[in-house]
Amino acid sequence: MAKKKGSVVYKCSSCGYTQPGWLGRCPNCGEWNSLQEYIVDNAAPSHSLNADGTALKIKPVPMRTVDVQNENRLSTGDSEFDRVLGGTDGFYGATKRSAILLGGEPGIGKSTLLIQTAARVFATLPKGKSRVLYVSGEESASQIKGRAVRLGLKTDDIEILCTLRLEDILDALDSLSPILVIIDSIQTVYSAQAGIVPGTVNQLKYCANELISWVKERDSILFMTAHVTKDGTIAGPKSLEHMVDTVISFERNSDEVRFLRATKNRFGSIDELGIFQMDRDGLKPIADPSSLFITRRTHNTPAGVACVAVFEGSRVFAVEIQALTVSAKASMNRVYSDKIDSARVSRVAAVLEKRVGIKFSDQDLYINVAGGVRLTESAIDAALGAALYSARTDIALPEKTIIMGELSLAGEVRPVSKLKQRVKASKELGFTNIIVPDKAPGTKNIETVNELIKALFSK
């Protein structure tokens, strides 16, 4: 019987007999109530179809019949990577049946991170039962093996496939059934069904959909690397980010330190920050990065520098904000800031000019964050204001001072969340002059920006 695309057929679950209409009893084998409704869908992924091109028709069910299952996670063997991927109850890692997109500039260490992950995951799997497949469309097998040897990784039993064709990848997936699949990178994969040119919008969406569909039907995890644009965003259609479960951005602040941050995560928080150090042995997690963003000086702190305690996920970091003000070179002043939103800098400067009476409208403002970390939370407002005032007056803040607080347009310094943890971490890092907008043991309490300036620069 010829089947048209989108047509509905009824197939016997016992003998496989197919007919166009439902019957209570199968005419072929005589079984009762064995005919199930199937649909012919040639556009569906090939691995989800039966040999005759049909797939079981999915129907809605009441929510009360759905069982809640705990997320089944697989550790990558790296504490910082697991932290970014998310988790609960102290168990972090990648969730099975999920697709993860990893973006970063060329040479930042995406392939290094994933080959390390492949080796560590394989070492924890039962021998002979689960496999790891590493697919590369940018490097040869010898190049990948050479990197693994330089890093001292045991990768002899990891399956490697160097191809650009989607059909070759799907065949390998069906034959190996790996628990971990790495595609490096998705922009190089193409299928004859969507043309022969890799990297086009249709190719990216089609190939990614086929790979994600394969993973969703099995207890596997898919990692895909992606190219980025000059702005640092993932190249290609935004629909690719909507298709995956987790989007991770790989950034750097120097030649050694790397930051890993999730911009989307269906199975965890996007507030966690993973910090790595790159050396000759590969990427290594920095176990205690609390003071990583504080400059260790042998002399007094210069003017224009203020410290603040910020939360990144579940950890507290002490961060140094640096400000510089110079006379504007044009008729209008400009703000140069890439680690803190320039609109926030302009707003804080406007509050200082209005409430404190110090002029910034004729100054170009330069803002930097030591260590290169991006700051977005409102708790940095007071420290940013102190750094700007210090830079404008050329008066340094008192030594071992740290400031926390949100600055309102009315000049009020508002309380911040998780103040006790911030204060505790500040004391552990050696700060003795802790200025906050709320009462806490061992701190100075301020309520307005004028009180903040007096507490810092009264001498």
Side-chain angles (χ1 to χ4, degrees):
M1 179 190 303
K3 303 182 183 70
K4 296 181 180 180
K5 177 181 176 181
S7 61
V8 175
V9 296
Y10 294 86
K11 184 187 298 185
C12 178
S13 59
S14 298
C15 66
Y17 174 80
T18 302
Q19 73 160 36
W22 184 84
L23 293 174
R25 185 178 185 183
C26 176
N28 187 51
C29 65
E31 286 288 333
W32 288 92
N33 297 322
S34 62
L35 293 181
Q36 292 181 299
E37 190 175 6
Y38 283 73
I39 188 170
V40 179
D41 186 4
N42 297 330
S46 57
H47 52 78
S48 66
L49 298 175
N50 299 313
D52 58 356
T54 61
L56 183 65
K57 189 173 183 180
I58 306 300
K59 298 180 179 180
V61 295
M63 184 70 77
R64 62 177 177 272
T65 64
V66 179
D67 294 330
V68 178
Q69 297 180 353
N70 294 327
E71 297 170 359
N72 191 5
R73 293 185 180 271
L74 178 68
S75 174
T76 64
D78 191 305
S79 59
E80 293 294 298
F81 200 4
D82 285 345
R83 182 188 298 274
V84 175
L85 290 171
T88 55
D89 299 329
F91 185 69
Y92 297 85
T95 304
K96 292 183 179 180
R97 302 197 178 203
S98 68
I100 301 163
L101 187 64
L102 175 64
E105 63 185 66
I108 198 171
K110 300 187 297 296
S111 299
T112 299
L113 177 64
L114 291 181
I115 192 65
Q116 289 182 171
T117 300
R120 290 167 178 162
V121 168
F122 186 84
T124 63
L125 298 176
K127 293 184 178 180
K129 293 184 179 181
S130 301
R131 300 192 181 189
V132 175
L133 176 63
Y134 191 104
V135 180
S136 177
E138 299 180 342
E139 297 179 294
S140 65
S142 61
Q143 288 176 311
I144 298 171
K145 179 64 180 292
R147 178 186 293 112
V149 171
R150 289 195 304 272
L151 299 177
L153 303 175
K154 295 181 180 180
T155 58
D156 291 345
D157 295 322
I158 293 177
E159 304 287 341
I160 186 169
L161 175 64
C162 296
T163 184
L164 305 180
R165 283 170 33 87
L166 174 67
E167 289 73 18
D168 294 339
I169 299 174
L170 293 176
D171 288 343
L173 292 176
D174 290 333
S175 61
L176 296 175
S177 294
I179 192 171
L180 178 63
V181 184
I182 296 173
I183 308 294
D184 189 13
S185 66
I186 186 60
Q187 270 97 352
T188 63
V189 181
Y190 79 94
S191 171
Q193 299 293 329
I196 58 174
V197 180
T200 63
V201 174
N202 287 339
Q203 285 285 9
L204 283 172
K205 294 172 67 175
Y206 181 82
C207 295
N209 181 64
E210 290 283 322
L211 294 169
I212 294 171
S213 298
W214 190 93
V215 169
K216 291 294 184 181
E217 297 175 1
R218 296 163 177 84
D219 284 338
S220 300
I221 300 169
L222 172 65
F223 282 95
M224 300 183 291
T225 65
H227 301 164
V228 297
T229 63
K230 293 181 180 180
D231 297 331
T233 57
I234 293 177
K238 293 295 289 185
S239 59
L240 192 62
E241 298 183 34
H242 294 299
M243 294 167 64
V244 299
D245 300 297
T246 305
V247 179
I248 297 177
S249 175
F250 213 5
E251 306 169 356
R252 77 170 84 201
N253 77 321
S254 66
D255 292 335
E256 294 85 18
V257 180
R258 304 288 193 271
F259 298 139
L260 201 63
R261 188 192 300 272
T263 58
K264 170 189 175 181
N265 195 347
R266 290 173 178 163
F267 305 108
S269 171
I270 62 171
D271 297 326
E272 295 289 355
L273 179 69
I275 306 177
F276 300 85
Q277 185 172 9
M278 175 72 83
D279 58 21
R280 58 181 298 176
D281 296 325
L283 287 164
K284 293 183 177 180
I286 299 178
D288 185 17
S290 301
S291 60
L292 180 65
F293 310 109
I294 297 295
T295 304
R296 299 299 180 183
R297 297 182 175 87
T298 57
H299 52 82
N300 293 335
T301 304
V305 174
C307 294
V308 59
V310 298
F311 254 94
E312 289 291 343
S314 58
R315 295 182 293 185
V316 182
F317 302 112
V319 179
E320 182 179 284
I321 299 176
Q322 303 166 354
L324 174 66
T325 63
V326 295
S327 299
K329 301 177 179 62
S331 58
M332 296 182 61
N333 71 319
R334 300 181 64 183
V335 177
Y336 302 88
S337 176
D338 59 341
K339 301 306 179 184
I340 300 177
D341 185 17
S342 58
R344 180 186 295 272
V345 177
S346 299
R347 178 174 58 82
V348 172
V351 172
L352 288 174
E353 185 164 339
K354 175 67 175 179
R355 305 301 175 186
V356 182
I358 187 168
K359 193 174 183 180
F360 289 98
S361 56
D362 59 348
Q363 301 287 307
D364 285 338
L365 308 182
Y366 297 81
I367 303 296
N368 185 43
V369 179
V373 65
R374 295 180 183 273
L375 302 181
T376 58
E377 64 171 321
S378 59
I380 69 171
D381 288 354
L384 176 59
L388 286 170
Y389 187 95
S390 174
R392 186 70 176 90
T393 59
D394 203 26
I395 302 175
L397 275 72
E399 294 295 321
K400 298 183 180 180
T401 296
I402 193 165
I403 309 162
M404 291 159 269
E406 177 185 351
L407 195 60
S408 73
L409 295 180
E412 300 170 319
V413 182
R414 298 171 55 82
V416 297
S417 62
K418 302 178 181 178
L419 181 61
K420 290 183 179 180
Q421 295 94 316
R422 297 176 196 259
V423 171
K424 180 182 178 182
S426 300
K427 292 179 179 179
E428 292 175 350
L429 292 173
F431 291 97
T432 57
N433 188 26
I434 304 174
I435 301 177
V436 296
D438 203 353
K439 293 181 180 180
T443 65
K444 291 182 181 179
N445 176 237
I446 49 100
E447 296 181 354
T448 66
V449 66
N450 297 87
E451 294 180 9
L452 171 66
I453 299 302
K454 290 179 180 178
L456 294 173
F457 307 101
S458 59
K459 295 183 179 180

